[in-house]
Amino acid sequence: MTCYLNFEDIALGLSVHAYKRRLQRGIQQQHIAHLLRFGRKQFHRHALYYSIGQKEINKYADICPAIKNMNGMHLVTALNGTVLTMFRNRDFRHLKK
């Protein structure tokens, strides 16, 4: 599969793998920006995980109503900021240290 990243995806720091996953899972660029801004940040397995769960939705729903439908979204970045992958999973137990 040939992937051509557009400028917005490059500006968000998406890898080719993350771009493919974004398209496969129907995750919009705006969701990535919200994950990076409002997501719970955890270091796990040599990567940074940005996650939005019910706690973040309750905390930031007044500031950004768009995160109400992002429950269970996760974004994985390398330590240099490159987005490696993204997925949806409402079970946060895998992120425990």
Side-chain angles (χ1 to χ4, degrees):
M1 175 179 168
T2 303
C3 288
Y4 297 102
L5 298 173
N6 60 27
F7 177 75
E8 290 84 10
D9 290 319
I10 293 170
L12 287 171
L14 266 64
S15 65
V16 174
H17 174 79
Y19 177 75
K20 288 179 187 178
R21 293 296 178 254
R22 183 179 82 75
L23 294 179
Q24 290 172 345
R25 295 175 178 146
I27 298 174
Q28 301 171 1
Q29 293 170 347
Q30 185 179 28
H31 291 153
I32 297 169
H34 292 326
L35 276 161
L36 291 171
R37 182 170 181 198
F38 300 113
R40 179 186 320 173
K41 185 177 175 182
Q42 292 182 327
F43 180 76
H44 183 67
R45 296 185 181 174
H46 306 289
L48 289 174
Y49 283 69
Y50 294 87
S51 307
I52 292 185
Q54 199 57 46
K55 289 180 183 178
E56 290 75 30
I57 291 171
N58 292 338
K59 186 175 182 179
Y60 298 113
D62 295 336
I63 299 170
C64 180
I67 68 168
K68 290 180 181 177
N69 62 352
M70 293 177 61
N71 189 14
M73 280 190 166
H74 303 269
L75 184 81
V76 183
T77 65
L79 297 178
N80 66 2
T82 302
V83 178
L84 300 176
T85 192
M86 54 199 78
F87 58 94
R88 296 175 193 255
N89 186 356
R90 292 187 179 175
D91 184 8
F92 281 57
R93 286 181 289 175
H94 72 283
L95 293 178
K96 289 186 179 178
K97 294 180 181 179

